Amino acid sequence: GIRPGEITHMLLRPSREIKGHYGDGSGGSIAQWLSLRLNAAHAACTTRPYSRWQDGETPPDAVRRLVELSTIETYVTRGPDDAKYWEGHNATEVTIETARGTFTKMQPKLTVMAEAELIEKFVANVAPQAGETVAREVAGMALRLEELPRASVLLERVYG
């Protein structure tokens, strides 16, 4: 595999043009959440920034280095006629350059999970933090989001 320290450039080619994607993640938790460069750098370093977004913590040095080495070249593409973006079409291409060569990967179609699979994946990710009972309760609440007085009820149930 490619080690993060070997990377000399990352070219990110998203199929959707979203203004917030172009930043480096500085400026708070929402900027970190939206930054395509920051998220690609975290992916290359196999770090999970999700819990740190809320606090706006500074990313590790290896991640910050890759953010600086990343550029974005937006292209607009249509998916296959039978696949819309929100149904799993996510045509994003990543090219990584190293001294050993250039590597490009594109994932044109995401697997759309059935509701039961999605719930089990959610529970597996939330249960270590909140316990399985709370994870399943929050999953059920999320499926009935329109019935809740406000969306923050989900976070309140997890974090107290």
Side-chain angles (χ1 to χ4, degrees):
I2 300 171
R3 292 188 175 93
E6 297 178 88
I7 297 172
T8 58
H9 181 242
M10 287 196 315
L11 173 61
L12 312 171
R13 297 186 72 227
S15 62
R16 292 171 45 127
E17 188 166 3
I18 299 174
K19 193 181 297 184
H21 284 177
Y22 292 88
D24 63 4
S26 60
S29 58
I30 295 298
Q32 288 184 6
W33 182 67
L34 286 173
S35 172
L36 184 59
R37 293 167 51 211
L38 179 62
N39 284 286
H42 272 295
C45 292
T46 65
T47 53
R48 290 183 54 110
Y50 311 116
S51 62
R52 293 184 183 101
W53 286 339
Q54 300 167 14
D55 302 326
E57 288 184 23
T58 302
D61 290 341
V63 172
R64 288 198 317 265
R65 177 185 162 274
L66 290 181
V67 168
E68 292 302 315
L69 294 175
S70 299
T71 56
I72 297 175
E73 179 183 291
T74 302
Y75 72 101
V76 178
T77 183
R78 275 182 31 97
D81 289 336
D82 64 342
K84 296 180 179 70
Y85 179 83
W86 53 90
E87 293 172 342
H89 180 68
N90 184 24
T92 298
E93 181 179 283
V94 177
T95 299
I96 294 178
E97 298 173 9
T98 71
R100 292 186 289 138
T102 300
F103 308 90
T104 300
K105 179 73 175 168
M106 182 174 189
Q107 183 174 349
K109 179 101 170 134
L110 299 176
T111 302
V112 179
M113 290 189 277
E115 186 175 292
E117 294 173 299
L118 186 60
I119 290 171
E120 289 309 311
K121 187 169 187 168
F122 177 85
V123 169
N125 280 288
V126 175
Q129 173 69 31
E132 185 172 347
T133 302
V134 171
R136 290 195 182 282
E137 182 183 335
V138 171
M141 291 168 68
L143 292 174
R144 298 183 319 278
L145 191 61
E146 69 279 356
E147 298 172 14
L148 300 177
R150 61 193 184 290
S152 63
V153 170
L154 296 169
L155 294 174
E156 291 166 1
R157 181 63 185 105
V158 173
Y159 295 108

